Amino acid sequence: MFHFMKDQIQAAKPSRRSFLKMSAAGAGGFILAASLPGASRKAAASGGEFAQPFVHIRPDNKVVVLIKHLDMGQGNATGLATLIADEMDADAAQVETNFAPANAELYKNLAFGMQGTGGSTAMANSFQQYRAAGAAAKAMLVAAAARKWGVPVSTITVSKGVVTSTSGQSSNFGDLAALAANEDIPAEPVLKTPDQWVYIGKSFPRVDVPAKSRGSVGLYGMDHQAENMLVAVLARPPRFGAVPAGFDAAKAREVKGVVDVVQVPSGVAVLATSTWPAIAGRDLLAVTWDESGAETRGTDEMAKELAGMTATKGISVPGSHGDAEAAIASAAKVIEVDYAFPFLAHAPMEPLDITVFFDGEKAEFWTGSQFQTIDQMVSSRILGLTPDKVTINTSWAGGSFGRRAQPDSHYFAEAALIAKARLEAGNAAQPIKVVWTREDDIRGGYYRPMVSHKAKVGFDDKGQVTGWSHRVAAKSIMQGTAFEQFAMKDGVDSTSVEGIGELPYELPAFQTEVHNAKTPVPVLWWRSVGHTHTGYVAETMMDRLAKEAGEDPLDYRLKRIKNERLAGVLKLVAEKANWSTPLPEGRYRGIAAVESFGSYVAEVAEISFREDGTVKVEKVTCAVDCGLPVNPDNIKAQVEGGVGYGLGAVLRNEITMTDGQVDQSNFDTYLPLRMTDMPEVEVHIVPSTEAPTGIGEPGTPPVGPAVANAIAAAKGEWVTELPFSRHGYA
Amino acid sequence: MSISLTLNGTSRTIDADPETPLLWVLRDELGMTGTKFGCGIAQCGACTVHLDGMPIRSCQTQIGDLEGSSITTIEGVSGKAADAVRSAWEELSAAQCGYCQSGQILAASALLSETPKPTDDDIDAAMDGNVCRCATYARIRQAIHVAAEKMGA
């Protein structure tokens, strides 16, 4: 996601060489925020034009790293702390993290140009920036020590949080913090060379596990507490596109604790003194809905519409080459394969929540904000404030998988509208926490789009491909959002076709077209975005093509692969999974490789079948190339989790609708992957000195096609209509 | 209605509508937010607490039914099993987003208190009701084995 933004930023952004030094915050602590000149950025990760680090050293010797991203479990807080700690030579035990406030100038994602997290960019865009911040802070500590002790800088070394001079003096960071704050920020802090790294590429303890293992207070937005706070739960439209036309709240108001009922465009909010009466009151509301603009079709009808679209010519996607249609017309054999992918809910463990306080002059929010800049802009506009009057306190998020990355900031907007309505009705300002129940979450839309693919491939008489014509139909994620103007070019939304506009394999003629379907059902990026379906299609098709050619699926890929790093992970995973050795009876393997967000992941799934015919995924072996592995254990954790997340979806997840109403509502109908479903996952990381790329998403795309290819190895047929549960495999 | 119970080893008297789920009493009335709201229908285990040492779903447990009982939450769980579990959790970085982890830790601690050397099947049986959308299941399983070793050491 957001490659379009990278292009935009690189083209438009002026070079910024000014340094920004903020005043000391608190007694003796110093905060450093520096913009570094281009000269120190020659190894910068893609998108990084200049750096803005942020580190706080407290008198109590704590190093607090300000995290400009949302950590929703993917570990970027630990990753960014690792960079600072390493360059500062801090002791891991003295490092803490805080989420940075919403401030696009200071904390923009260098890949986006705004503050936000997504597209597996956190480490990629921050790598040089945070290292430079750490290096600058260390240089200032050293300069302060040299001045204090009257010794040359060259006599000073720093190790594990201790500054030492060869003349005998030593100090911790905290005691030097106030002095260091007065030192000049170095114009070009000297970064360590890789051989000097103590944490990067090795290990650094996760900063969040202790607090998350103890039920610590205030970690998540859902846990926000405040004096005099109200909790709002909304009756939401039964169909997408419906709006409230009126309501009868008599019964709701009888619930002890309910204090108010407020209508906003997204529904009717019951406000209570705590969550339980708000839920109980909401359930007793009688709301009349205006469904004139609502989606009243079921998903079966929508699927038919999408499949119908792929039968007709669509918008040409860049990346095509050769005349695929002509090649197919004169082919010895043609196959046509239709794929159908369902809507998917993100279903993070923490349903959406947000607390707002608005007093007419300023506003404050508490939540796991993922697009801080957009959330700040949207809510400030609604509240009639300038963005600087809107404070966002970003908390840890209990998952997101894309759900909180909102182009329309709908949940911020909703909270702002409720707070505004309350104030305008003459109520005193008080904090309001909007809580989404699991049913609200599952039925709330912003799904991975429903998608239809049609692959038409021509072969010569030896089973070799002569041409491949491909069509995709889906509702565009970008169209109709603020991103559309620069995210869509000539009607093509890259998030609909990323991964299938151009294949990583050498084929004689290849072309892709796309159709943008329309529906009021809101759609959104879901962990790995377009690759969730394009990777499945491309990699199950490659197995079909190998079969037509009578070749081994791995050999077939390697012979045609254009990208060395993708070839590298394929070879590594094949070796680690013993691809060429026979399996015991009843076991089957499948392989798949997908590049997403600049990272390369290949996976081999080994499966068996239970007595009832369902698939048991025994083991998934993964090979990953995400450039320089900053924190190898976190890379492994993300790939393990990414495999589980992708597997759960292909096994049995789908949001369906009947007459426009969502059929699922909670984890009893939208069945999550559980412990008993989880395969053994083995992750191998390719050693690399390339700029680090992301790992939050890339583990997800290959698992579906790897398992599908294993099923096909057993049954001779590929599942083309997801999820597998539709075909008795789950 | 007034309910007397023991919460994390301390006697408490709680004044609440007896039908209120324990989950919301803990979170909203007592400010103990370590116990999480995930589904509200006992399908995800994020709200797991111990009732007299046994894991239960607090979202489906009415406060009115708890007169005289002993409740332990993530904020108070301790002892050989819980300490070993926390230590193993940190050692293996078992958490990602962490939202389900209170429930996972309560479920794992209860398992290890009953079955100090659990097999993979024991772990499946005890932990299958605890959903982790980050799918850190492999590490949770491994951490339970590590915790068992720590307890035996």
Side-chain angles (χ1 to χ4, degrees):
Chain A
M1 124 167 105
F2 310 126
H3 297 297
F4 64 92
M5 282 181 160
K6 285 186 195 172
D7 298 343
Q8 186 80 359
I9 298 325
Q10 280 167 348
K13 198 168 52 180
S15 171
R16 245 190 66 133
R17 288 164 186 267
S18 62
F19 287 90
L20 222 161
K21 192 172 169 184
M22 288 175 68
S23 60
F30 87 94
I31 291 178
L32 169 69
S35 304
L36 299 168
S40 66
R41 278 179 276 112
K42 46 185 182 286
S46 62
E49 206 196 331
F50 66 93
Q52 286 193 335
F54 222 4
V55 55
H56 190 178
I57 304 171
R58 290 202 314 239
D60 68 359
N61 201 33
K62 287 291 182 190
V63 171
V64 182
V65 177
L66 281 100
I67 306 300
K68 65 178 186 173
H69 288 287
L70 173 67
D71 193 326
M72 45 204 140
Q74 79 281 48
N76 61 38
T78 301
L80 301 186
T82 304
L83 303 177
I84 297 262
D86 203 317
E87 290 293 345
M88 284 183 81
D89 279 308
D91 189 274
Q94 73 184 132
V95 177
E96 292 179 358
T97 61
N98 273 340
F99 291 108
N103 182 331
E105 180 63 25
L106 283 176
Y107 299 116
K108 67 167 75 75
N109 181 330
L110 300 179
F112 295 178
M114 61 164 215
Q115 193 175 352
T117 304
S120 297
T121 57
M123 180 53 72
N125 94 93
S126 306
F127 185 64
Q128 294 298 100
Q129 185 181 45
Y130 272 68
R131 287 175 63 209
K138 176 176 157 183
M140 293 165 79
L141 286 166
V142 168
R147 199 181 304 274
K148 182 181 179 185
W149 299 332
V151 300
V153 162
S154 60
T155 68
I156 295 176
T157 55
V158 184
S159 176
K160 289 191 176 164
V162 180
V163 185
T164 310
S165 159
T166 50
S167 313
Q169 301 92 333
S170 81
S171 173
N172 70 16
F173 289 179
D175 292 339
L176 290 169
L179 293 171
N182 294 324
E183 295 294 333
D184 289 336
I185 298 170
E188 293 191 26
V190 180
L191 300 183
K192 284 183 175 180
T193 49
D195 58 299
Q196 296 171 318
W197 287 337
V198 289
Y199 303 122
I200 298 171
K202 299 180 174 77
S203 73
F204 194 81
R206 261 191 93 113
V207 296
D208 51 347
V209 175
K212 288 175 175 177
S213 302
R214 280 165 176 75
S216 299
V217 174
L219 289 178
Y220 306 94
M222 186 66 88
D223 299 342
H224 185 70
Q225 302 177 70
E227 199 66 31
N228 202 27
M229 186 175 79
L230 294 177
V231 177
V233 176
L234 283 86
R236 300 178 181 281
R239 293 184 171 85
F240 296 105
V243 289
F247 63 88
D248 176 354
K251 282 186 184 158
R253 286 182 187 277
E254 283 171 17
V255 176
K256 192 183 162 205
V258 169
V259 299
D260 200 2
V261 181
V262 176
Q263 182 177 320
V264 289
S266 57
V268 180
V270 173
L271 292 91
T273 50
S274 61
T275 316
W276 181 243
I279 293 172
R282 184 275 303 267
D283 292 347
L284 290 169
L285 273 181
V287 183
T288 321
W289 301 99
D290 172 0
E291 297 196 334
S292 55
E295 175 63 88
T296 56
R297 294 177 299 166
T299 36
D300 285 350
E301 292 154 274
M302 293 183 213
K304 276 190 197 119
E305 183 200 33
L306 293 174
M309 291 172 107
T310 62
T312 64
K313 196 155 178 54
I315 306 162
S316 241
V317 174
S320 305
H321 66 270
D323 190 342
E325 294 289 357
I328 292 165
S330 59
K333 181 182 176 181
V334 177
I335 63 167
E336 201 173 305
V337 188
D338 290 296
Y339 288 85
F341 296 87
F343 287 121
L344 290 175
H346 305 75
M349 285 308 297
E350 179 189 15
L352 283 180
D353 48 68
I354 181 167
T355 303
V356 56
F357 177 81
F358 172 57
D359 64 7
E361 288 172 1
K362 61 184 185 307
E364 193 162 357
F365 291 89
W366 293 263
T367 191
S369 169
Q370 193 168 344
F371 279 176
Q372 286 94 339
T373 301
I374 296 178
D375 293 337
Q376 191 179 39
M377 283 168 59
V378 168
S379 46
S380 65
R381 205 172 301 148
I382 288 168
L383 296 170
L385 301 172
T386 49
D388 60 302
K389 298 289 182 199
V390 173
T391 301
I392 297 177
N393 302 284
T394 300
S395 54
W396 298 91
S400 168
F401 314 112
R403 182 66 179 87
R404 287 176 176 269
Q406 280 297 332
D408 66 1
S409 295
H410 72 91
Y411 73 106
F412 268 80
E414 181 178 270
L417 286 162
I418 294 168
K420 192 181 174 196
R422 287 270 303 161
L423 209 65
E424 285 174 355
N427 298 291
Q430 64 193 115
I432 300 167
K433 176 158 72 176
V434 181
V435 171
W436 291 56
T437 62
R438 178 58 59 195
E439 291 80 5
D440 296 337
D441 169 65
I442 296 290
R443 294 186 160 163
Y446 295 91
Y447 303 130
R448 193 286 300 275
M450 207 174 180
V451 192
S452 198
H453 284 251
K454 183 188 283 294
K456 201 169 163 188
V457 185
F459 301 89
D460 64 18
D461 55 7
K462 294 185 184 65
Q464 295 297 324
V465 175
T466 59
W468 177 344
S469 166
H470 199 84
R471 287 187 188 135
V472 182
K475 179 176 178 179
S476 156
I477 294 170
M478 299 292 188
Q479 202 165 38
T481 73
F483 294 158
E484 179 178 343
Q485 54 174 327
F486 48 98
M488 287 184 78
K489 207 173 167 200
D490 301 326
V492 178
D493 177 346
S494 61
T495 68
S496 296
V497 293
E498 55 187 357
I500 200 79
E502 209 171 347
L503 293 177
Y505 305 101
E506 206 72 65
L507 292 171
F510 183 82
Q511 67 184 55
T512 296
E513 295 162 13
V514 65
H515 288 275
N516 297 315
K518 304 276 191 248
T519 168
V521 181
V523 294
L524 193 60
W525 23 69
W526 182 103
R527 197 175 191 170
S528 80
V529 199
H531 300 283
T532 59
H533 50 95
T534 62
Y536 187 92
V537 171
E539 286 298 289
T540 51
M541 284 302 295
M542 288 308 290
D543 261 39
R544 277 183 197 269
L545 305 194
K547 193 180 176 187
E548 292 291 337
E551 294 179 37
D552 172 81
L554 172 68
D555 295 341
Y556 188 84
R557 285 174 173 83
L558 288 175
K559 264 191 233 168
R560 290 158 182 83
I561 205 155
K562 292 188 279 191
N563 185 294
E564 276 182 27
R565 293 175 70 185
L566 196 62
V569 292
L570 266 170
K571 286 175 192 163
L572 180 61
V573 81
E575 178 203 323
K576 298 293 182 184
N578 302 311
W579 179 259
S580 50
T581 61
L583 283 163
E585 201 186 328
R587 294 279 183 119
Y588 306 90
R589 285 193 198 105
I591 193 166
V594 179
E595 179 273 326
S596 61
F597 315 104
S599 294
Y600 303 82
V601 182
E603 296 174 10
V604 169
E606 190 177 318
I607 67 164
S608 63
F609 292 88
R610 299 185 186 91
E611 276 183 18
D612 62 1
T614 58
V615 171
K616 178 165 170 48
V617 181
E618 304 278 357
K619 183 174 181 180
V620 180
T621 308
C622 313
V624 182
D625 178 353
C626 57
L628 184 119
V630 174
N631 188 332
D633 188 60
N634 190 54
I635 290 168
K636 289 182 179 178
Q638 284 307 299
V639 174
E640 290 161 12
V643 163
Y645 195 73
L647 180 61
V650 296
L651 284 178
R652 53 187 174 230
N653 285 160
E654 58 178 326
I655 291 290
T656 59
M657 294 169 213
T658 306
D659 300 331
Q661 288 193 298
V662 177
D663 299 317
Q664 295 73 27
S665 60
N666 204 318
F667 287 137
D668 56 344
T669 42
Y670 193 79
L671 304 174
L673 186 92
R674 290 182 183 269
M675 175 73 89
T676 43
D677 300 311
M678 188 69 191
E680 181 190 348
V681 181
E682 195 178 286
V683 182
H684 301 275
I685 301 170
V686 175
S688 172
T689 52
E690 297 277 341
T693 45
I695 202 60
E697 295 169 277
T700 298
V703 68
V707 175
N709 288 336
I711 293 173
K715 309 284 183 186
E717 58 181 32
W718 283 267
V719 177
T720 56
E721 179 198 42
L722 279 286
F724 294 162
S725 52
R726 287 192 166 225
H727 307 278
Y729 292 129
Chain B
M1 179 179 167
S2 178
I3 298 107
S4 295
L5 48 72
T6 304
L7 179 59
N8 293 332
T10 307
S11 296
R12 302 288 289 257
T13 302
I14 291 158
D15 190 29
D17 177 339
E19 289 184 5
T20 310
L22 171 62
L23 169 70
W24 296 113
V25 173
L26 291 171
R27 291 181 55 84
D28 285 358
E29 308 305 324
L30 304 176
M32 294 166 65
T33 53
T35 304
K36 301 300 185 209
F37 167 53
C39 71
I41 60 164
Q43 287 290 317
C44 80
C47 68
T48 304
V49 300
H50 290 177
L51 167 61
D52 300 326
M54 298 296 290
I56 59 152
R57 309 303 185 216
S58 64
C59 73
Q60 288 293 306
T61 305
Q62 296 185 354
I63 189 73
D65 294 337
L66 296 176
E67 179 65 38
S69 59
S70 175
I71 298 294
T72 306
T73 69
I74 186 69
E75 289 92 347
V77 69
S78 61
K80 202 173 173 187
D83 295 347
V85 164
R86 281 208 178 93
S87 164
W89 245 246
E90 289 183 25
E91 201 175 303
L92 299 179
S93 288
Q96 287 187 23
C97 90
Y99 194 82
C100 71
Q101 295 296 339
S102 300
Q104 304 278 3
I105 286 168
L106 269 287
S109 302
L111 166 67
L112 288 170
S113 297
E114 285 282 304
T115 314
K117 290 275 174 207
T119 62
D120 277 344
D121 286 346
D122 294 333
I123 293 173
D124 280 350
M127 305 300 293
D128 211 41
N130 288 79
V131 173
C132 172
R133 290 291 289 156
C134 302
T136 72
Y137 297 117
R139 286 185 189 228
I140 291 171
R141 182 189 299 282
Q142 198 189 343
I144 291 172
H145 286 306
V146 169
E149 279 168 32
K150 285 177 188 282
M151 285 169 69

